[in-house]
Amino acid sequence: MIEEARSFLWLNARALEQRRFAAMFDGGPVEPVVAAVAAYRNEDGGFGHALEPDGRGPTSQPLHTYTALRVCRDVGDDRFVAGAADFIASVANADGGVPNCLATAADHPRAPWWQVSADSDLLMTALVVSAFHEFGFDHPWLARATGFCWARITSLTASHPYEANACATFLDHVPDRARAEREAERLGALVRETGLVDLGDGQAPAGYAAGETHKPLHYASSPDSLARRWFTDEEVERDLDRLAGEQQDDGGWTFPWPAWTPVTTYEWRPVVTIEALRTLRAYGRTS
């Protein structure tokens, strides 16, 4: 499994994913990963330049910035956190919430689902807030943003797979663990009751492609995540078999969402390959 994935990444991946794989799975050095991430960094402390493949423009965007923080967290480096926090705070709304896609992206190619809006977005805010909490980094903006997430999650009665997953990520890292456990239990019931998880029937909510609905391991990517409690041992084991079995003949994994321009296929597959291996390793399934 690992050897085949390594070959796939050497043949197909950006330098970032090659360096990231080496650090995460082969004991490689951290500095080249950080240097690769730095190539996407802008002077405002945010990140752009298609770090997240679906946003092709150079401008700093919240999702690119979250992606940079997550990659650096994987290798234990925090040098970009303070600048990223300043950037996110500079684009946040008064309620602490962060827009999904800033107006600075309007003149550059991007996926159809990257819709410019000034509105505070729960999905994006939950992701970036989770990253700063995971680093244990504080910022004057962070308390407002955390409050925004709590208010929106507490009142959530309907959602979609990506938003629900972002909320689960927030709950895994927010400091108030007792409240996180309570809200995670409620969110898990919502996910199951409203069909936001595919337990093997292949059904997708309206507006999503077949197979695009999140599987149990999308929510519970490690055994210690709160979302792991949403699923039985049998459901998780079945999904681990599914994930391991989706490794392609070329050694990589693929993704279910639309490829809106050809380059995203080549850039996304190495990313999801690393994510698949990370999840399988967390559950002891890469040997």
Side-chain angles (χ1 to χ4, degrees), residues 130-275:
S130 75
F132 293 117
H133 282 313
E134 189 174 7
F135 273 106
F137 182 83
D138 199 11
H139 189 279
W141 153 81
L142 189 58
R144 283 187 294 119
T146 302
F148 168 85
C149 292
W150 278 130
R152 293 284 295 271
I153 291 171
T154 300
S155 62
L156 206 61
T157 58
S159 189
H160 59 80
Y162 294 98
E163 181 181 76
N165 196 28
C167 293
T169 302
F170 168 85
L171 295 172
D172 274 340
H173 299 297
V174 69
D176 189 341
R177 301 313 302 152
R179 186 175 183 182
E181 293 202 9
R182 293 194 302 271
E183 289 303 324
E185 183 176 1
R186 196 179 71 82
L187 180 63
L190 177 70
V191 164
R192 295 191 68 118
E193 291 168 4
T194 60
L196 300 184
V197 60
D198 180 358
L199 296 173
D201 58 10
Q203 297 298 308
Y208 292 88
E212 194 175 358
T213 302
H214 285 30
K215 311 296 193 296
L217 293 174
H218 288 112
Y219 294 106
S221 60
S222 68
D224 59 355
S225 63
L226 291 176
R228 172 62 184 84
R229 305 176 191 179
W230 301 351
F231 309 108
T232 66
D233 291 348
E234 180 182 3
E235 288 169 341
V236 170
E237 287 300 313
R238 185 167 62 242
D239 206 38
L240 286 165
D241 291 341
R242 187 265 317 161
L243 183 60
E246 287 180 350
Q247 187 173 24
Q248 305 291 295
D249 290 342
D250 61 8
W253 274 258
T254 191
F255 55 93
W257 59 87
W260 60 280
T261 189
V263 69
T264 61
T265 297
Y266 300 104
E267 292 183 348
W268 268 124
R269 287 197 63 208
V271 173
V272 298
T273 293
I274 290 173
E275 295 301 326

Side-chain angles (χ1 to χ4, degrees), residues 4 30 50 55 69 74 83 93 118 145 154 166-167 177 194 206 220 248 256 277 284:
E4 292 82 358
V30 168
L69 293 174
D74 283 344
N93 291 318
T154 300
C167 293
R177 301 313 302 152
T194 60
Q248 305 291 295
L277 290 173

Side-chain angles (χ1 to χ4, degrees), residues 14 19-21 28 51 67 73 75 130-131 135-136 144 157 170 178 184 202 204 216 219 258 260 265 278-279:
R14 302 181 292 190
R19 294 295 199 174
R20 188 179 174 203
F21 176 89
L51 176 55
T67 300
R73 182 61 180 163
V75 297
S130 75
F135 273 106
R144 283 187 294 119
T157 58
F170 168 85
Y219 294 106
W260 60 280
T265 297
R278 180 218 297 276
T279 297

Side-chain angles (χ1 to χ4, degrees), residues 2 6 20-28 274 277-278 281 286:
I2 295 288
R6 183 183 295 108
R20 188 179 174 203
F21 176 89
M24 293 174 66
F25 297 96
D26 288 339
I274 290 173
L277 290 173
R278 180 218 297 276
R281 182 175 64 180
T286 53

